[in-house]
Amino acid sequence: MLLFSNEALPGQKEKQNFSWITFAVSELAYFFNRSNSSSQLEFLVVHRDKGTPLEGVDATLFEESYDYRQRTTTKKEIGHSKTGSDGLVRFASRQNSFSLRLEKNGDILSFSDRYYAYYAEEEEQEGIETHFFLDRAIYRPGQTIYFKGLVTSGKPRRGGVKILSNRKVTVTFKDVNNQEVATLGLTTNAYGSFQGSFTAPQGSLLGEMSLHSSLGDSWKSFLVEEYKRPRFEVMLEPMEGQPKLNDEVVVKGKAVMFAGNPVDGAKVAYRVVRETRFPWWPWWRGIAPFSPSMEIAQGETVTNALGVFSISFNALADPKVDKDQLPEFQFRVYADVVDVTGETHSAERLANLGYVSMRASLGASEWQDRSRPEAVRITTQNLDGQPVSVKGRAQLFALDAPNRLFLKRYWNSPDRPSIPEAAFRKDFPFFAYGKEDDPARWPQKSQVWEGPFDTGLSDSIPAPWANLAPGYYQLVASMEDGQGKRVEISALIKLYDSSEGKLPSGILMWDGFSKETAAPDEDVELWMASSYAPGSVYLEKERDGRILESRWVNVNQWEKHVFRVGEEDRGNIFFHLSYARHNRAFSVSPRLNVPWTNKQLHIEYQTFRDKLLPGQAEEWRLRITGPEGDRVAAELLTAMYDASLDQFSPNNWSLDLFPSDGFASRSWSPQQFSETGGVLYMPHKWPESMEKTYPKLNWFGLMMSESPRMYAAMAFRSNSLEAEDAPAMKRALVDSAAPPPPPPLLEEQQDLFCRPSCA
């Protein structure tokens, strides 16, 4: 315990303010995880400074439960074991909360933190599921609802999905009240599918209805509504080029029938509202300046023979906003289009302009492999997000990075150092004394390359990574926008070499794959490297939520873990790397993508027509092949419907029979590697406060959250008041801008008021 006080405590007659904080001093540290079985809990015990596994550590598990009668928490020992050579210790899982105590050679690590065995792993069950497909998502009463279903069974995560052919299935049509409207008995074909139709009910409640399958308890919802089909839609196009503030800006729009023909001669009413935002405003400067919205233009126009119309306005900046704050002005354009039949549709779009008329960004990977460099992408756009062609120059600088390891603080560094630098570096060798751990503050040592770029010709910058030594670099791209304003962007690059096994300096631990995506029967390398010092890493492989293998790896500069991807790894696999060093713990779970390429079908059109006349007959020809272009037997589902219905409810089809894991199910969680707060005790006697009370109205249980007029009306309608009491209540509750003196109360009216003693 560390105790702080504004004066020495012993011998003091007057009580002083003081605070305290508790902490542990130990070489023991541990990670917590659940093992492959839901009945097991795992702890990984390591050396807090070196990160090596600790053998022979006494581990005691305590169960905690709350006694509601005694109103106390009881704690009892429920397990005891010793860690093995790998630092692991396992206990049976418990339903109540539990805590852990570690001890070795008098070194005790025990905290009041509790853990909960709230999760029980469930084995993936083999289930049946029906996948519904509808010809549209909204119907009118009396229209025919065409549907198709596909019945599958198996375990999707294990790739064991199969179709169910020649199976009886009952499809039930239910209305908005979930009441049965009709049923249909069907049988799946050789491809596991079935199809049928229902008629949307007439004269009943409209809304969301559904189809239900007897196989897999699956269902599909849709809408049954009375609606007027829209005939056309309105679109506003983004601005092109680099328009300037305070100049005339043109926003083009188009009104097109859903059949494809333009809407000619339609009236367009528009207005433009200016709004101000500050995208470059730093958080530490507080709230950005306020600039109210303002309508700067309005008017009318008409569409031409192609359905096109133009809205022109002066993009006036707010003169009250300082240019140096780099504001962006959003001109919100509203357009209402009315055709000759009176049908109206609207569109809205933001047109962004600023004193800097373009945005630029570098799509560079922070880690670049010198032996296999990736292209550095550069993107230049106007403020509306449209690409613009820009010429500029790129420069690459080698940074003068400190040749040492920095650990992240648990708290922010002070504005003013209170410890001399020599003493600080001696006591805290892995912390930055100032800002020397911030790459943005590292000075440029030398320029190693310079070259031009033109985004109109190429979207990449050809930096010569192969000729550079591993280290830290800064790539700077400079250009000018259409107004001659200089725009400069930069990116930090950490250059390594996988072929020679070299990293930049000051890296405690780094990991990567030789390839991000792999296929079965391919060899993949998992890289674990350090440019600081040799260290121990606990490595695990996970698939389908199960740990398949685990072992300790001694990482000395560069280690390769080579493994072959199997067919069972489809759906992605994960590797868990857990390690500790210098009172810091780390746990990462890189993912290797192994897609279901063996399940992919390739569809190509051999004949296709995208425009037809009404009533015209047409035939489309398609070719379906397997992953390697081989022949496959397949059933194809197609549908055609009015695209205007998507304005009410879009009709989307999706089928994902072989899902992929995006996140790991298992991971080691470091324990007791974080900052902790203290307790402030102020034993002062606060002065007694005086509470004043006044006579008040007896509201008979009514809440005082609304206006007195409303409660006055409620009180007059209440049967609990006698008729002769109502005038007095009315006089008491009347709105009084200039209140007259209150009349004397009759004796029978005294119960309307209550002294504080009876409130």
Side-chain angles (χ1 to χ4, degrees):
M1 175 183 292
L2 186 61
L3 185 65
F4 299 89
S5 174
N6 58 347
E7 290 188 19
L9 292 180
Q12 294 291 328
K13 294 182 179 181
E14 297 183 1
K15 297 181 179 180
Q16 303 297 326
N17 300 338
F18 61 93
S19 64
W20 70 88
I21 185 172
T22 60
F23 58 93
V25 179
S26 175
E27 292 183 345
L28 304 177
Y30 66 97
F31 296 76
F32 170 60
N33 193 6
R34 294 173 179 83
S35 66
N36 292 345
S37 172
S38 60
S39 61
Q40 291 286 312
L41 300 170
E42 285 185 327
F43 296 91
L44 180 65
V45 184
V46 299
H47 194 281
R48 185 172 289 271
D49 184 58
K50 300 176 182 178
T52 54
L54 294 180
E55 183 180 4
V57 179
D58 289 309
T60 306
L61 199 66
F62 295 92
E63 185 179 65
E64 298 185 7
S65 60
Y66 186 75
D67 190 336
Y68 290 93
R69 291 186 177 182
Q70 301 295 328
R71 296 183 179 180
T72 59
T73 300
T74 60
K75 184 176 181 179
K76 65 177 181 179
E77 180 180 330
I78 57 174
H80 179 271
S81 183
K82 285 182 179 290
T83 60
S85 59
D86 55 1
L88 285 172
V89 61
R90 295 180 175 88
F91 294 98
S93 179
R94 299 287 177 170
Q95 294 301 321
N96 295 330
S97 62
F98 55 89
S99 59
L100 181 69
R101 181 181 185 271
L102 300 176
E103 180 180 1
K104 182 178 183 180
N105 299 331
D107 187 351
I108 300 176
L109 183 63
S110 178
F111 291 93
S112 59
D113 293 12
R114 294 177 293 178
Y115 306 95
Y116 298 87
Y118 57 87
Y119 176 81
E121 181 184 9
E122 295 183 0
E123 179 70 20
E124 185 182 16
Q125 301 296 323
E126 182 170 346
I128 298 177
E129 185 176 2
T130 300
H131 309 269
F132 277 107
F133 304 91
L134 302 179
D135 64 320
R136 57 205 295 184
I138 185 171
Y139 302 86
R140 287 193 182 99
Q143 284 186 331
T144 303
I145 302 169
Y146 294 100
F147 65 88
K148 190 177 184 69
L150 175 65
V151 183
T152 61
S153 69
K155 300 179 179 180
R157 291 184 64 182
R158 304 297 171 87
V161 176
K162 59 183 180 181
I163 59 176
L164 296 183
S165 58
N166 301 319
R167 293 289 295 269
K168 299 291 185 180
V169 57
T170 300
V171 180
T172 305
F173 181 15
K174 293 187 178 182
D175 61 12
V176 294
N177 294 317
N178 206 33
Q179 300 299 311
E180 182 179 311
V181 176
T183 60
L184 192 62
L186 301 168
T187 303
T188 61
N189 60 17
Y191 293 95
S193 66
F194 59 87
Q195 61 186 36
S197 63
F198 289 105
T199 300
Q202 295 178 313
S204 62
L205 186 64
L206 303 178
E208 185 177 282
M209 304 186 184
S210 56
L211 299 181
H212 296 255
S213 170
S214 60
L215 296 179
D217 194 24
S218 304
W219 58 279
K220 177 71 173 180
S221 62
F222 53 91
L223 295 176
V224 177
E225 300 283 358
E226 291 284 4
Y227 61 87
K228 179 183 178 182
R229 185 183 68 82
R231 299 174 57 249
F232 69 94
E233 62 179 340
V234 180
M235 297 166 288
L236 293 176
E237 300 176 357
M239 293 186 301
E240 298 178 353
Q242 300 183 51
K244 300 179 181 180
L245 275 174
N246 300 316
D247 284 354
E248 186 178 57
V249 174
V250 178
V251 175
K252 294 184 178 181
K254 192 174 185 179
V256 183
M257 293 282 188
F258 285 102
N261 49 309
V263 180
D264 183 14
K267 294 182 179 180
V268 181
Y270 66 87
R271 61 190 184 96
V272 182
V273 177
R274 183 190 63 204
E275 300 171 352
T276 308
R277 58 188 295 265
F278 298 86
W280 309 109
W281 189 263
W283 62 268
W284 45 267
R285 293 185 62 182
I287 301 176
F290 173 72
S291 177
S293 301
M294 178 180 179
E295 183 172 305
I296 63 170
Q298 60 177 343
E300 293 184 352
T301 184
V302 294
T303 61
N304 61 18
L306 299 177
V308 177
F309 59 92
S310 298
I311 298 174
S312 60
F313 60 93
N314 289 325
L316 300 175
D318 188 346
K320 298 180 181 179
V321 178
D322 188 359
K323 296 181 180 180
D324 296 335
Q325 296 171 350
L326 298 179
E328 285 188 7
F329 299 97
Q330 294 182 330
F331 297 90
R332 194 177 297 271
V333 182
Y334 301 90
D336 301 317
V337 180
V338 184
D339 69 355
V340 293
T341 66
E343 184 174 337
T344 304
H345 292 285
S346 303
E348 175 185 340
R349 187 173 187 86
L350 284 175
N352 297 279
L353 286 88
Y355 291 107
V356 178
S357 61
M358 62 167 289
R359 295 191 185 105
S361 62
L362 288 173
S365 175
E366 185 180 30
W367 289 91
Q368 283 280 356
D369 189 351
R370 183 175 67 172
S371 60
R372 301 182 305 174
E374 299 178 5
V376 177
R377 303 293 179 184
I378 181 170
T379 303
T380 53
Q381 300 173 329
N382 63 15
L383 300 188
D384 241 13
Q386 299 304 302
V388 294
S389 298
V390 176
K391 295 180 180 180
R393 296 197 68 81
Q395 295 172 301
L396 189 63
F397 297 93
L399 298 180
D400 189 9
N403 189 20
R404 52 174 298 192
L405 172 67
F406 288 109
L407 296 179
K408 186 177 180 180
R409 293 172 178 259
Y410 286 140
W411 52 89
N412 294 329
S413 59
D415 296 332
R416 291 184 178 181
S418 58
I419 305 175
E421 183 174 356
F424 182 89
R425 295 196 183 281
K426 179 181 177 181
D427 295 335
F428 307 99
F430 302 110
F431 290 161
Y433 183 73
K435 302 294 185 181
E436 62 268 25
D437 60 337
D438 184 4
R441 298 175 180 266
W442 292 346
Q444 297 174 351
K445 183 168 54 177
S446 61
Q447 179 177 314
V448 297
W449 174 81
E450 182 178 6
F453 65 86
D454 185 347
T455 59
L457 301 177
S458 174
D459 63 348
S460 63
I461 297 178
W465 304 114
N467 302 326
L468 303 176
Y472 298 91
Y473 296 87
Q474 184 185 38
L475 180 63
V476 180
S478 304
M479 66 212 82
E480 291 184 354
D481 68 354
Q483 305 179 46
K485 296 290 183 64
R486 181 180 174 85
V487 177
E488 185 175 283
I489 54 176
S490 63
L492 174 67
I493 305 296
K494 301 175 182 179
L495 187 64
Y496 69 96
D497 194 321
S498 61
S499 62
E500 298 182 6
K502 293 182 179 181
L503 278 180
S505 62
I507 303 298
L508 177 62
M509 196 67 65
W510 175 84
D511 63 89
F513 289 111
S514 58
K515 56 179 66 177
E516 299 296 330
T517 301
D521 298 328
E522 289 184 352
D523 289 333
V524 179
E525 295 179 359
L526 171 62
W527 301 325
M528 295 166 284
S530 173
S531 60
Y532 167 64
S536 299
V537 176
Y538 191 64
L539 175 64
E540 292 181 317
K541 179 182 178 181
E542 175 192 326
R543 183 180 66 235
D544 296 333
R546 295 176 174 271
I547 301 299
L548 304 179
E549 59 180 82
S550 58
R551 62 187 177 93
W552 279 96
V553 178
N554 185 30
V555 178
N556 186 5
Q557 290 188 347
W558 194 280
E559 297 294 330
K560 296 181 181 179
H561 174 62
V562 183
F563 60 95
R564 171 152 293 194
V565 178
E567 189 68 34
E568 65 278 4
D569 293 328
R570 290 192 185 273
N572 303 340
I573 56 177
F574 297 87
F575 289 86
H576 303 292
L577 285 72
S578 305
Y579 54 97
R581 200 68 187 268
H582 302 317
N583 200 27
R584 293 292 188 272
F586 308 89
S587 183
V588 295
S589 300
R591 180 187 69 201
L592 178 67
N593 300 312
V594 187
W596 297 93
T597 53
N598 60 330
K599 304 296 183 181
Q600 294 177 351
L601 295 178
H602 300 284
I603 302 176
E604 59 178 333
Y605 286 101
Q606 293 185 325
T607 60
F608 179 77
R609 301 290 186 275
D610 59 353
K611 292 184 179 180
L612 298 176
L613 296 175
Q616 178 182 347
E618 182 58 48
E619 178 183 80
W620 286 273
R621 291 182 178 272
L622 298 93
R623 184 171 182 266
I624 303 175
T625 57
E628 303 297 331
D630 50 329
R631 285 189 173 186
V632 293
E635 184 182 51
L636 179 68
L637 172 63
T638 60
M640 182 180 293
Y641 71 102
D642 193 336
S644 67
L645 300 182
D646 285 345
Q647 303 295 312
F648 301 111
S649 182
N651 188 28
N652 298 317
W653 288 354
S654 63
L655 183 64
D656 189 6
L657 299 179
F658 305 97
S660 299
D661 292 330
F663 301 95
S665 300
R666 307 284 184 178
S667 64
W668 286 98
S669 176
Q671 304 297 313
Q672 313 306 334
F673 285 94
S674 62
E675 71 275 11
T676 183
V679 178
L680 175 63
Y681 181 63
M682 303 177 65
H684 290 282
K685 183 178 181 181
W686 297 98
E688 296 183 359
S689 61
M690 300 292 293
E691 182 179 359
K692 296 182 179 181
T693 58
Y694 301 92
K696 58 183 179 181
L697 289 171
N698 185 350
W699 291 100
F700 299 98
L702 295 177
M703 300 290 291
M704 286 297 294
S705 59
E706 299 293 342
S707 66
R709 287 181 178 272
M710 185 189 74
Y711 281 115
M714 295 171 62
F716 295 145
R717 290 193 296 268
S718 174
N719 293 329
S720 62
L721 295 178
E722 297 181 1
E724 59 271 17
D725 293 344
M729 175 66 78
K730 184 175 182 180
R731 287 194 300 271
L733 297 177
V734 70
D735 188 3
S736 55
L745 298 178
L746 301 177
E747 182 178 354
E748 59 270 16
Q749 294 173 327
Q750 297 295 330
D751 61 338
L752 289 175
F753 295 88
C754 181
R755 295 289 179 184
S757 59
C758 65

